[in-house]
Amino acid sequence: MDKITNGCKIEIDVTGTTVFYKPGILTNGKITHDCGKTRSVGYFLEALVMLAPFGKNPLSATLTGITNHTDNLDISVDLFRTVTLPNLLRFGLSDIDFKIKARGAPPEGGGMVILSCPIVKNLKPLQLIDSGLIKRVRGIAYTSRMNPVVSNRVKDQCKGELLKYVSDVFIYTDHYKGKESGQSPGYGLSLVAETTTGCFVSYEQMGEAQSLPEDLGDNCAKMLLHEILQGGCVDTSNQSFMLMYMVLGSEDISKIRIGKLSPYTISLLRNIKEFFGVTFDIKPDPETKTSILTCFGCGFKNLAKQSF
Amino acid sequence: AKDRFIKPVNLMKLVYGETNKKKTMQDYQQKEEKEEEKEEKEEDSESGSDDFFKIRSTTSMGPDINEVESSIFRRDMEDVLDLGNEEIHKMLASRFVSRDYVYDSK
C-alpha cells in the first residue's frame, strides 16, 4: 500500500492490536515488492488489481515470492492469468499484461511475475447471467526443479477423467529449469473450463510432498467437475473479484449468476456493506440451482487522474 | 446432491443477517434511539469493565461466519466426488455440450 500511494499514513500501536490508516492518493508507477514466504504472490495481486485501475499513472509491478502455494489459500499466478484477467476485461479494462518470469514453489519461493495495469475513469456495469455449457477444458501441468515425467503423469490421469464428459480437453505440460524454476521443487495442475458464452470455471491444486502425481490429477479433475456442477458464471475463487468490481462500477445495475457463495465471499459482502454501503440483492434460481446477485454500483471514479 | 441447494428465504438473512425489506422512517428513528441508549450505557460503564466487551461483541453483522460455514456452505465432498452415482453423473453431463457440438475456432 505504501509503495503505490503518496501521503498515506500507517501506524501500529505498541501492543500491536490497533492499526491506524490514513489513505493517500494512488500514484501507481513502477514498483518492486518482495512478497515473503508466508503467502503467495496471488494474495498481493488480489489487492493490486482492485486498486491499480484507479491510480494516477499506469501500474507496473514486479512481485517476487511464491507463485503457486500448496495450501491453496490464494489464487495461483496461472489462474490469475488465464481466468481472473479475462474476467476483468468485461468491466472495460484493457491492455492488462501479466507475465510469469519465474516459478516459485514453497517453502523458498523465488518466483517472479510482472503485472502491468492501465488506468480507467470508471468501470462498466456487468450483466453476466447466461453461463452456457462447457465446451472445452484447458490446463497447465507444471513442474519446476523436478522430473518432467511427473507433469505427464498428472496430465494423463486428469485427462482420462475429463474425457468422460467433454472431448475437447488439452493440458499443456510446462517444465521449468535453471533460473526460471525458483528455489524449491514443486509441481501442480490448473484447469480451466470454458463455456459457450465465454465464461470460465477453474480449479487448481499443487502437489504436496509424499503424494502421488496421479492422485493430484484425479483430485483436481474431480474438483473441477464439482465447480462445474455448482453452476454459475464464475468459479468460487473468482467470486470476490467480480463482486468487488461490480460495486466499484458506475451508477448502474450489475448482475451476475454464481453457484454457491463461499464463506470468503460472504464476509466480503458484509465488508462491502460496511465500507461502501452497497447491499446485494441475492435471488436464488431454483431451476439451475444457482443465485443471481444484483447490485447498484457506487459510482467510484478515478480521482487521482487529473484529466481524461 | 439434493440437499445442496440453499433455501431461498435464508440467503439474504445468512449473508446480511436481515431481510432485504425497505426501511421506513420509523426504523431509522428506532435505530437512532437504540444508538443513543448504547452511547449512554458506554458513558455510564467504567472503562475496562466486562460491559465494554459486551457492547463491542454485539456490533458484529449477521450470523457468525463459522456458524454459516458449518451449517450450509460446507462442501459435501463425499457426495460430489462419487462420480459413480448416476444422479450426479447425469447432472454433470447436462452441464457440458453434446458430443456433436461444432467446434468454434474463436
Side-chain angles (χ1 to χ4, degrees), chain A residues 34-73:
Chain A
D34 180 12
C35 300
K37 292 170 187 173
T38 48
R39 297 297 287 258
S40 68
V41 168
Y43 178 70
F44 296 86
L45 284 172
E46 194 178 335
L48 268 183
V49 85
M50 285 175 188
L51 294 170
F54 302 102
K56 192 174 183 179
N57 304 302
L59 175 76
S60 175
T62 307
L63 305 177
T64 54
I66 296 167
T67 55
N68 303 67
H69 213 301
T70 44
D71 62 8
N72 293 320
L73 207 62

Side-chain angles (χ1 to χ4, degrees), chain B residues 8-21:
Chain B
V9 195
N10 292 339
L11 270 171
M12 288 297 286
K13 223 173 190 179
L14 278 165
V15 176
Y16 295 115
E18 60 184 25
T19 51
N20 199 25
K21 64 174 182 182

Side-chain angles (χ1 to χ4, degrees), chain A residues 200-262:
Chain A
F200 298 101
V201 181
S202 63
Y203 190 77
E204 64 183 348
Q205 206 167 340
M206 306 306 144
E208 289 176 10
Q210 296 178 338
S211 65
L212 285 171
E214 283 81 7
D215 289 345
L216 172 76
D218 196 45
N219 275 336
C220 201
K222 282 176 178 172
M223 286 308 296
L224 178 75
L225 294 173
H226 180 223
E227 286 282 351
I228 292 166
L229 190 67
Q230 285 186 21
C233 297
V234 287
D235 54 68
T236 313
S237 57
N238 281 285
Q239 285 174 3
S240 56
F241 288 103
M242 301 301 273
L243 297 181
M244 194 67 203
Y245 264 61
M246 280 165 69
V247 172
L248 292 172
S250 54
E251 290 178 23
D252 206 344
I253 290 172
S254 292
K255 273 184 182 180
I256 192 168
R257 183 190 296 278
I258 60 172
K260 202 174 190 178
L261 289 168
S262 69

Side-chain angles (χ1 to χ4, degrees), chain A residues 59 124 151-152 165 207 211 263 268 290 297:
Chain A
L59 175 76
K124 287 179 186 171
S151 57
N152 284 323
Y165 296 95
S211 65
L268 179 83
T290 54

Side-chain angles (χ1 to χ4, degrees), chain A residues 123-179:
Chain A
L123 298 171
K124 287 179 186 171
L126 177 80
Q127 299 284 333
L128 198 57
I129 300 296
D130 189 7
S131 56
L133 298 171
I134 306 293
K135 65 173 179 181
R136 62 182 164 206
V137 177
R138 295 287 179 268
I140 302 169
Y142 93 93
T143 49
S144 61
R145 286 184 180 269
M146 284 185 84
N147 192 332
V149 174
V150 172
S151 57
N152 284 323
R153 286 167 65 186
V154 172
K155 185 186 86 172
D156 290 343
Q157 184 68 31
C158 178
K159 204 170 174 181
E161 202 66 55
L162 293 171
L163 281 173
K164 291 173 189 170
Y165 296 95
V166 63
S167 54
D168 191 0
V169 180
F170 197 90
I171 298 170
Y172 299 87
T173 51
D174 214 352
H175 177 59
Y176 288 81
K177 57 184 178 180
K179 282 182 183 175

Side-chain angles (χ1 to χ4, degrees), chain B residues 58-76:
Chain B
T58 53
T59 55
S60 65
M61 286 172 59
D64 181 36
I65 192 78
N66 296 322
E67 200 179 296
V68 173
E69 193 183 1
S70 62
S71 60
I72 284 176
F73 294 94
R74 185 186 291 278
R75 287 180 175 189
D76 205 350

